[in-house]
Amino acid sequence: MRRKIWSVKYVATVLLTLTVLILGGLNAQQKRRYIPPDDGVAWVEGTEGVQARLVVPDRPAEKAGIRRSDVLKAINGQAVENDRHVTRLLYELGAWSRATYTIDRDGKEFDTTVVVAPPPEQSLRHQKYLEIIGLIYFLVGCFVLLKRSRAPHALHFYLVCLTSFVFYAFHFTGKLNPFDWTIFWADLCASLLLPPLFLHFCLEFPSRNKTVERWHSLLYLIYLPAAVIFIAQLAFINGILSFQPSPILLRDVLDTLGDFYFALYFVLSAAVLLKTYRTVKTPELRQQMKWVTRGTALGVVPYFVLQSVPRLSGTIPQNYIDFSIFPLVLIPISFGYAIHRYRLMDVDIIFKRGVTYTLATACVIGLYATVIVVVGELLGAGFEPLSVVARVIATIVAALLFAPIKDRFQVWLDKFFYRDRYDLRQTLIDFGRTLGSEVDLDNMLDRIIDRLGRALFIGRSAIFIEDPFDPSRFLPAKTSGLTIPDGADFSFLTPAPGRPYIFFEADLYDLNYFIPCRVKDRVIAYVGLGRTQNGDYLTSEDLELLETVSDYIGIALENARLYRSLEQKASEYESLKDFSENIIESINVGVVVEDVEGRIVGWNRALESLTGRSRLETLGHQTEEVIPAHFLRRLHENRHLYKQVWNNLSVNFSATSLVDKAGATRGTLIIVDNITDRIRLEGQLIQNEKLTSIGLLAAGVAHEVNTPLAVISSYSQMLRKEISSEDPRHKLLEKITKQTFRASEIVNNLLHFSRTNATEFADVDVHQVIADTLSLLDHQFKTARVRIDRELRAEYPVVFANAGKLQQVFLNLFVNARDAMPEGGELRILTDTVDSKIEIIVQDTGVGISSENIQKIYDPFFTTKAVGKGTGLGLSVSYGIVQEHGGNISVDSKPGIGTSFKLELPLVRKPVNV
């Protein structure tokens, strides 16, 4: 079943994304609108006041003569309270403003003029770097989530990218207003959450290994360091955690520790990916993991070596910060590549498309510039309004011309790349479309091999066709340029490959690609191809072309097989025609054919033996002379009558109309099936099924109840002899005695259920039967972790039935529901009154029934359970019991969601007191 994209977690993700984008947009607007003022000093709060901890060379403070350890007393005459107050005062002044600083140096105060400037260019450049990286993270995450939303871990990867976007793109300006604090906390949370979130993703990508599976409950401990650092930052900012005489030292320690924690986690993630790369076995997955591992390592190692380690040692290498930050963008690109399953051999395609777009863009820009220059020369300087209109028109024309220009360059580059093979590639799809005209299978295979080899420049190819005797196997039917040895293993070629093609990096019998050929979602053949004659892998364009052509090949192969089958059937038609008239005479089911006037025109041998009347005695007579009129009336209304007594036999009647090609009714076909022996056998099967169920239940009860019951009974008797009735513990012993009685009742119910009951009908309370059956299975449901939800809403649930047989039906349905929920679930039982019938619904949350099996569930001996787990008679017997009671049973199932059985039984008319 298709997964619901708009689930709760996806709606929450969308809302979170919108919130982040709104905050990011406002933060970007704030960063562009408010230029952060900077005086070039790192002011810290010390024992003597606000001191200059670091003075940046060639910045305003250094030019104004401020030195390290100077104490700032006031700005423009306003006393400085703390280091945050300095930032607030600078924001009030703004960039490029003059401020008078009152400085205390060695006990002497003096004033100096400082020209407040914007931040240095290097800092702004670094900030733009980070914003670009964050935007790339967000775009890659959105692309993966939208294109591959059903891929494993796609949502987890998107959350990693969204957190990275917040971490890299959010920067508080230093104004420290409420919105600035919001940005600060969002950035801090993202910096702490991103490392464990990414490590968590790496531990489960591409699949969870056995170690992680075994200790999955402890996996979330990797988030504990983030929580500790967050609490420490929170305590520091709120003044709970202080460090005298200089709190800035503690802040630097926390920032350095957070940065090292960030880089260390990413290094661990790279190590996890490297281990996964060494353990995976699938060639295609190994190729993908190779690029993921390289991308992560190249992105993490420079930052760890050039930033985190030096900062931990007390130095900040500003010269290498660009080289350490920008490679981090390789991480989302490599992961996006792996999850979306880009082909690994597309370097030429990427290059070709890049050249195409570059040439098209250059051409459009050149055309645009030419138009602008020509218009400027023609109109001159006095026609500025017309010049603006000309620019607008030129922009629109350039936008409209880009697509056709790009397509034309694409064609030219295709001709340049493929040269002589260009026309063959262009006509390959037309060849696939016309391939259906070929009906000879051998000629068709030769044509396919030849055309694919010339179009794709391939010298080794093969076609594998479905084994007619075993559809799960595919056998080589035609090869070219290679030899497949006897006994070669192609078991990986399955009817449901689950992917567009199968790829092997290493040659497998000189083949690397296996493209399935489908017809109506069924794979009937595979096209096997090796590398090109130059030794290169196929490109994504080649594979897309093959995927398109493979559908035509599948249809053509199916047509050829159908044509061959049609020829065989045509030769057999004449012989089958001779036998067609003997079929009715040979079957052991009675067949009556009557015309539109109700006269018998057909009477087979089976009916002669059932009724003792020959064909000559019945032909031409009215049907009601042979079959009672009330049977015929009911048969006309229902079309099916089950277990009817006729001529001292139990039979089933079925009727269907005989229509000609124009749809006109020509008569009625009545089937009479003698089921006397079958009914007797069903009675035996019901009892056997019941005894089998009792045997399974009794084994569990004997082990779970009788043994502890004996122990409980013995010790309770011993204790009661030793304790007086006034002792408070005497009540506990009474409770033990009651539980012993309850266990005894369970055993008695089982014994009562195992007795053979005569088929006697009486007024039966359906709710009571359901309750009795559930009590028998109470322990099994608890063991299987199955919850019971009963909604018995029928007001007068009394039917005319045999209680034992109804209990057998419910027992079969409840046991099947339990078996369908191996991991536990919920069993719902609902009853209601609908049109003088009671409707019982038994619904589970199990694995469901597949569409190909749902039509077989009532067949005797059909079961999907393991050997020894079921006989395949439960639903068959239940179906017969429900029909015998004049009711109906139907099923509705959705694989992966659950199954719902609905029973309808006629109610006994409720008595009315006059």
Side-chain angles (χ1 to χ4, degrees):
M1 177 178 175
R2 297 183 62 184
R3 188 181 68 182
K4 294 182 179 179
I5 298 301
W6 294 107
S7 59
V8 175
K9 61 182 179 181
Y10 275 87
V11 171
T13 302
V14 171
L15 296 177
L16 178 62
T17 303
L18 292 177
T19 303
V20 168
L21 290 178
I22 293 173
L23 291 176
L26 295 176
N27 181 234
Q29 183 182 16
Q30 188 182 58
K31 288 185 291 187
R32 300 298 180 267
R33 180 180 300 175
Y34 302 105
I35 300 176
D38 180 39
D39 57 3
V41 183
W43 299 104
V44 297
E45 194 172 349
T47 56
E48 300 178 2
V50 179
Q51 292 181 302
R53 179 173 179 266
L54 176 66
V55 179
V56 181
D58 297 327
R59 295 297 293 166
E62 198 253 354
K63 293 178 180 179
I66 298 177
R67 302 176 186 173
R68 185 177 180 181
S69 301
D70 286 351
V71 178
L72 179 61
K73 294 294 184 178
I75 297 178
N76 290 339
Q78 186 173 354
V80 175
E81 300 173 0
N82 49 44
D83 52 358
R84 295 180 186 176
H85 191 206
V86 175
T87 303
R88 191 176 300 110
L89 292 175
L90 289 178
Y91 264 89
E92 292 176 358
L93 293 172
W96 304 116
S97 60
R98 293 178 175 272
T100 301
Y101 281 33
T102 302
I103 303 298
D104 185 342
R105 182 184 297 166
D106 299 330
K108 298 180 180 179
E109 291 189 3
F110 64 90
D111 293 338
T112 181
T113 302
V114 178
V115 179
V116 182
E121 264 321 299
Q122 186 183 26
S123 176
L124 295 176
R125 186 175 68 252
H126 293 166
Q127 180 175 309
K128 291 180 180 179
Y129 272 172
L130 296 177
E131 291 174 352
I132 293 173
I133 293 175
L135 183 61
I136 294 176
Y137 265 98
F138 179 74
L139 293 177
V140 171
C142 289
F143 179 79
V144 170
L145 187 65
L146 294 176
K147 290 292 186 179
R148 297 289 296 172
S149 61
R150 300 180 187 174
H153 315 299
L155 182 60
H156 193 158
F157 177 74
Y158 174 74
L159 293 178
V160 171
C161 292
L162 187 64
T163 308
S164 302
F165 171 72
V166 175
F167 173 67
Y168 288 111
F170 281 31
H171 300 93
F172 71 101
T173 59
K175 294 180 64 177
L176 301 180
N177 56 11
F179 179 77
D180 210 35
W181 275 112
T182 302
I183 297 299
F184 170 79
W185 286 114
D187 187 23
L188 177 62
C189 292
S191 66
L192 298 177
L193 180 61
L194 178 59
L197 191 65
F198 182 70
L199 179 59
H200 187 175
F201 175 78
C202 294
L203 288 171
E204 297 191 342
F205 180 84
S207 61
R208 186 182 298 169
N209 57 45
K210 295 181 179 179
T211 303
V212 176
E213 185 73 29
R214 187 181 305 112
W215 301 99
H216 186 259
S217 58
L218 301 178
L219 182 61
Y220 296 97
L221 290 178
I222 62 176
Y223 293 87
L224 185 59
V228 173
I229 297 178
F230 178 79
I231 293 173
Q233 290 276 13
L234 184 65
F236 171 75
I237 292 173
N238 288 277
I240 301 174
L241 182 66
S242 60
F243 189 87
Q244 299 296 337
S246 179
I248 196 62
L249 297 178
L250 179 58
R251 186 175 68 182
D252 287 345
V253 169
L254 291 176
D255 291 343
T256 303
L257 182 62
D259 181 77
F260 184 76
Y261 148 82
F262 175 87
L264 180 63
Y265 262 68
F266 269 84
V267 171
L268 292 176
S269 301
V272 169
L273 292 175
L274 179 61
K275 180 181 178 181
T276 304
Y277 165 69
R278 292 180 176 178
T279 55
V280 293
K281 303 298 182 182
T282 307
E284 185 176 3
L285 184 59
R286 186 175 177 83
Q287 281 291 96
Q288 293 176 349
M289 289 303 303
K290 178 178 69 176
W291 291 101
V292 166
T293 304
R294 292 177 178 178
T296 304
L298 290 176
V300 170
V301 172
Y303 186 85
F304 184 74
V305 174
L306 300 178
Q307 283 296 310
S308 298
V309 175
R311 286 189 64 178
L312 192 65
S313 62
T315 60
I316 303 178
Q318 295 288 341
N319 297 331
Y320 302 105
I321 190 170
D322 294 339
F323 301 100
S324 63
I325 291 177
F326 193 75
L328 293 173
V329 75
L330 297 176
I331 300 174
I333 292 177
S334 60
F335 269 92
Y337 163 83
I339 293 181
H340 192 56
R341 292 183 182 178
Y342 283 131
R343 280 84 175 188
L344 303 179
M345 293 67 68
D346 284 352
V347 177
D348 55 341
I349 300 299
I350 296 173
F351 172 75
K352 186 177 67 174
R353 291 181 180 175
V355 171
T356 300
Y357 280 92
T358 301
L359 293 176
T361 303
C363 183
V364 170
I365 292 175
L367 180 62
Y368 176 82
T370 301
V371 172
I372 296 301
V373 171
V374 171
V375 171
E377 291 293 333
L378 292 178
L379 298 180
F383 295 89
E384 285 79 4
L386 294 178
S387 178
V388 173
V389 173
R391 289 191 181 95
V392 173
I393 295 175
T395 302
I396 296 174
V397 172
L400 295 176
L401 290 178
F402 181 80
I405 292 175
K406 184 262 295 181
D407 293 339
R408 177 48 54 185
F409 276 117
Q410 184 73 52
V411 172
W412 290 340
L413 287 173
D414 284 342
K415 289 183 177 180
F416 175 77
F417 270 84
Y418 300 120
R419 295 183 175 88
D420 297 338
R421 292 186 294 130
Y422 177 77
D423 293 332
L424 290 174
R425 292 174 62 89
Q426 291 298 107
T427 59
L428 188 58
I429 294 181
D430 295 333
F431 162 75
R433 292 172 180 169
T434 59
L435 192 61
S437 60
E438 179 64 63
V439 294
D440 184 84
L441 185 59
D442 293 332
N443 293 338
M444 180 186 300
L445 295 177
D446 290 332
R447 289 180 59 190
I448 294 172
I449 291 291
D450 176 68
R451 183 59 68 95
L452 290 178
R454 289 189 292 125
L456 301 176
F457 204 52
I458 291 175
R460 296 169 297 175
S461 56
I463 297 180
F464 302 83
I465 295 181
E466 179 185 64
D467 187 349
F469 303 103
D470 185 2
S472 63
R473 297 180 58 213
F474 291 85
L475 305 177
K478 183 71 66 174
T479 60
S480 175
L482 56 92
T483 301
I484 297 178
D486 295 336
D489 183 16
F490 290 99
S491 58
F492 59 89
L493 301 179
T494 61
R499 43 185 168 169
Y501 63 92
I502 300 174
F503 168 71
F504 290 93
E505 181 182 6
D507 294 351
L508 181 66
Y509 305 111
D510 293 330
L511 298 174
N512 302 91
Y513 299 90
F514 296 87
I515 295 89
C517 303
R518 295 180 171 86
V519 176
K520 296 181 180 179
D521 297 328
R522 181 175 65 91
V523 177
I524 66 167
Y526 278 89
V527 176
L529 300 172
R531 306 188 195 189
T532 64
Q533 296 182 12
N534 296 330
D536 298 327
Y537 290 109
L538 298 179
T539 65
S540 63
E541 284 188 347
D542 295 335
L543 294 172
E544 291 175 0
L545 186 63
L546 285 171
E547 290 173 22
T548 303
V549 175
S550 65
D551 293 336
Y552 296 118
I553 294 176
I555 295 173
L557 291 175
E558 182 70 6
N559 290 340
R561 295 176 61 177
L562 290 176
Y563 182 79
R564 178 176 293 182
S565 175
L566 184 61
E567 285 183 333
Q568 295 175 354
K569 290 180 179 180
S571 63
E572 297 172 357
Y573 176 75
E574 293 298 328
S575 59
L576 290 176
K577 184 180 179 181
D578 296 336
F579 287 99
S580 61
E581 296 181 357
N582 296 329
I583 293 177
I584 295 179
E585 296 298 325
S586 302
I587 61 176
N588 57 1
V589 178
V591 178
V592 181
V593 182
E594 66 173 5
D595 59 17
V596 292
E597 297 179 358
R599 288 191 301 268
I600 297 175
V601 295
W603 189 269
N604 70 343
R605 294 176 184 175
L607 273 178
E608 291 181 350
S609 62
L610 288 176
T611 62
R613 297 185 180 185
S614 65
R615 182 181 309 172
L616 297 177
E617 295 177 8
T618 57
L619 291 179
H621 293 271
Q622 292 293 324
T623 309
E624 60 185 15
E625 297 178 11
V626 181
I627 301 177
H630 65 279
F631 279 170
L632 295 177
R633 284 194 300 270
R634 293 169 56 197
L635 190 60
H636 177 73
E637 295 174 356
N638 300 321
R639 290 295 179 180
H640 299 283
L641 296 178
Y642 296 97
K643 296 183 179 179
Q644 305 298 317
V645 178
W646 180 57
N647 288 343
N648 297 322
L649 299 173
S650 295
V651 297
N652 288 340
F653 287 100
S654 299
T656 184
S657 298
L658 293 176
V659 295
D660 56 16
K661 294 182 179 179
T665 302
R666 296 300 182 183
T668 304
L669 184 68
I670 301 175
I671 307 297
V672 183
D673 186 11
N674 183 12
I675 59 170
T676 305
D677 295 336
R678 190 187 307 171
I679 290 178
R680 183 171 60 254
L681 180 59
E682 284 181 358
Q684 298 174 358
L685 292 177
I686 291 173
Q687 185 62 21
N688 290 339
E689 183 75 13
K690 181 185 293 185
L691 292 177
T692 301
S693 302
I694 290 300
L696 295 175
L697 292 172
V701 170
H703 179 72
E704 299 291 340
V705 177
N706 289 339
T707 300
L709 181 60
V711 176
I712 293 170
S713 178
S714 299
Y715 281 102
S716 63
Q717 292 176 17
M718 294 171 61
L719 290 174
R720 291 183 68 179
K721 291 179 180 180
E722 297 177 0
I723 298 175
S724 65
S725 58
E726 288 82 9
D727 195 314
R729 291 172 294 178
H730 192 270
K731 291 184 178 180
L732 297 178
L733 294 175
E734 290 181 354
K735 292 182 180 180
I736 295 174
T737 303
K738 291 180 180 180
Q739 295 302 320
T740 305
F741 288 148
R742 181 177 179 273
S744 178
E745 289 176 1
I746 293 175
V747 175
N748 290 334
N749 286 336
L750 289 174
L751 295 177
H752 174 71
F753 177 72
S754 63
R755 296 192 185 100
T756 302
N757 295 324
T759 310
E760 297 178 356
F761 284 69
D763 291 350
V764 177
D765 187 339
V766 175
H767 289 177
Q768 185 61 42
V769 175
I770 292 174
D772 292 343
T773 308
L774 288 176
S775 66
L776 292 175
L777 298 174
D778 181 65
H779 174 74
Q780 295 190 32
F781 283 145
K782 290 180 179 178
T783 304
R785 294 173 298 175
V786 175
R787 299 182 304 277
I788 306 300
D789 182 12
R790 285 186 278 191
E791 296 182 21
L792 309 180
R793 297 192 294 261
E795 296 180 358
Y796 186 68
V798 178
V799 298
F800 188 67
N802 179 273
K805 289 190 175 183
L806 284 185
Q807 192 174 47
Q808 178 66 21
V809 172
F810 291 129
L811 182 64
N812 288 331
L813 294 179
F814 295 165
V815 170
N816 286 346
R818 180 205 63 191
D819 295 341
M821 298 180 286
E823 301 298 330
E826 182 180 36
L827 173 63
R828 297 187 64 200
I829 305 162
L830 302 91
T831 65
D832 205 350
T833 303
V834 180
D835 296 333
S836 71
K837 294 182 178 180
I838 182 171
E839 183 177 281
I840 306 106
I841 297 177
V842 180
Q843 184 177 14
D844 64 63
T845 58
V847 296
I849 306 173
S850 62
S851 57
E852 60 269 15
N853 288 336
I854 201 166
Q855 301 297 331
K856 307 175 185 177
I857 59 175
Y858 300 120
D859 294 344
F861 305 105
F862 175 80
T863 180
T864 59
K865 299 179 182 178
V867 177
K869 297 296 184 179
T871 62
L873 295 174
L875 286 178
S876 177
V877 172
S878 299
Y879 182 84
I881 293 174
V882 173
Q883 294 294 331
E884 183 180 357
H885 285 72
N888 294 315
I889 181 171
S890 59
V891 63
D892 182 23
S893 182
K894 295 181 180 179
I897 294 181
T899 303
S900 176
F901 280 88
K902 182 172 72 173
L903 285 74
E904 294 178 343
L905 296 173
L907 287 169
V908 173
R909 182 174 299 177
K910 185 176 181 181
V912 179
N913 296 324
V914 180

